[in-house]
Amino acid sequence: MAPPADGSCCKGPGYASPADAMAKGPREKLVYVPCIQTVEGRKDYLATVCVDPVDPDSPDYSKVVHRLPMPHENDELHHSGWNTCASCHGDEKSTRDKLILPSLGSSRIYIIDMSDPAQPKHHAVVEPEDLKAVGYSRPHTSHCMKSGDVIVSMMGDENDGAKGKVT
């Protein structure tokens, strides 16, 4: 089936295409950076950084304005993604209110509540034993689908062997 003439993939928040988002969308005011700790005993965290283009002279501009520490050590946060596709638009019921944070080192997947964009907080955790129970480990990258589902690529099997899958 061909996509609609406007280039949209489905109904949801966002824009019909990346070009549409660049032309019509506001500039981001905050960005989220996974910060991986390599020192034993330190926990990874999600940094919220102010990049408000309206006030680049603000003392907060380009500064970390919030840190959300992960509850466990050795997570190695990896490629995050949203619960709802940003390229989809038109359905006010769909919101980008959860950030999916796979953790390659620990085989956890953190679901982060983004209802307050300036101060993300923990919503839920998929634990390693839950992934291994269905044959997976080492989550790498999350991506939302036009169906509303989220897929996560896995680099390992239930024994941490290199037989990854996308699920």
Side-chain angles (χ1 to χ4, degrees), residues 80-138:
S80 63
W82 293 100
N83 64 308
T84 301
C85 288
S87 62
C88 299
H89 68 286
D91 181 0
E92 294 177 10
K93 296 175 194 164
S94 295
T95 59
R96 288 174 60 190
D97 62 354
K98 302 290 184 297
L99 186 66
I100 315 302
L101 273 176
S103 300
L104 188 60
S106 68
S107 289
R108 287 184 178 84
I109 301 173
Y110 293 103
I111 315 313
I112 307 301
D113 178 351
M114 303 299 285
S115 55
D116 179 352
Q119 295 191 13
K121 60 186 177 194
H122 291 281
H123 175 73
V125 180
V126 178
E127 295 290 350
E129 54 271 15
D130 298 326
L131 292 180
K132 291 181 179 189
V134 292
Y136 304 117
S137 67
R138 308 299 177 186

